[in-house]
Amino acid sequence: MTTWAWTALALFAVWALTAFGVRAAVQRRRTGDAGFRGISGRPGSATWWAGVLFVLALLGGAAAPAAALAGMPALPGTGDGTALRWTGLAAALAGMAATLVAQNGMGASWRVGVDAAERTQLVTSGLFAYVRNPVFTTMTVTAAGLALMVPNALAALAWLVLVLAVELQVRVVEEPYLARVHGPAYAGYTARAGRFVPGVGRHARAAGTSGAAGPPLPG
């Protein structure tokens, strides 16, 4: 399935270029800041691992179609994989488009990584009205689609590493930061919007907190 591997590799390149390169260029033009904060935390800490695993997942996502071109076989049970690969293509394209929509919805608050000393606006409109981390959700869907296009062991591993990286980044890095910076506004927001999927992962609103929420932050 050489054609599928080349297609997945090309889509990955376009996705990486638009989601990071083009988005950073747009951010710099609008705000004077490209938005990259890099890997934070003490080496070996959960915060540090969140960033490292994210980088490894991206490298694995690019390596999977390359490995398929080099002869790595598909996982057992995928058969000829035609329907699976078409499903993957549809998911990847939808995820890529939705990633750009979610990133654009963040406006000046878009970041890659978190600077604990920085305060950005809490965004709760658009896709963020339904889920608190639509960028991560759509990126995970995109990665899943690309993995289905070249369903080998490396693709599956890269996707699992991405899921772990996202979970760590959200739960250990971003949610504590947002709760500290935005307080009751963020508490009210988490009671309305799911973490990654609408209605799932909402937090119970603590007594006495305000239901008001300013207009989500990275991821």
Side-chain angles (χ1 to χ4, degrees):
M1 290 291 184
T2 301
T3 301
W4 283 107
W6 278 116
T7 303
L9 191 58
L11 284 178
F12 181 91
V14 171
W15 178 44
L17 178 63
T18 55
F20 297 102
V22 174
R23 178 61 207 178
V26 170
Q27 191 77 357
R28 180 178 289 279
R29 187 176 72 248
R30 291 178 177 175
T31 68
D33 182 350
F36 282 92
R37 297 298 179 264
I39 298 173
S40 59
R42 175 178 51 81
S45 66
T47 300
W48 180 83
W49 273 112
V52 170
L53 289 175
F54 192 83
V55 172
L56 291 176
L58 291 178
L59 293 175
L69 289 171
M72 178 177 283
L75 290 169
T78 57
D80 65 9
T82 301
L84 189 69
R85 287 171 170 82
W86 277 109
T87 299
L89 176 60
L93 291 174
M96 290 169 65
T99 298
L100 297 180
V101 171
Q103 288 180 324
N104 187 64
M106 295 186 71
S109 293
W110 181 80
R111 298 287 187 276
V112 175
V114 171
D115 180 351
E118 185 177 27
R119 180 187 177 95
T120 56
Q121 184 183 31
L122 183 66
V123 183
T124 59
S125 58
L127 293 179
F128 290 89
Y130 306 99
V131 292
R132 304 196 300 273
N133 303 283
V135 176
F136 285 144
T137 299
T138 55
M139 290 183 71
T140 303
V141 170
T142 303
L146 293 171
L148 291 177
M149 292 173 67
V150 285
N152 55 36
L154 185 54
L157 178 61
W159 186 79
L160 290 173
V161 171
L162 177 62
V163 170
L164 178 57
V166 165
E167 288 284 354
L168 281 174
Q169 179 69 17
V170 168
R171 296 173 185 268
V172 177
V173 181
E174 297 193 1
E175 288 185 346
Y177 163 77
L178 291 169
R180 176 177 57 82
V181 171
H182 295 288
Y186 184 66
Y189 176 52
T190 63
R192 301 193 310 273
R195 180 176 278 117
F196 299 112
V197 179
V200 179
R202 290 183 297 180
H203 294 173
R205 182 178 300 169
T209 60
S210 168
L217 212 78

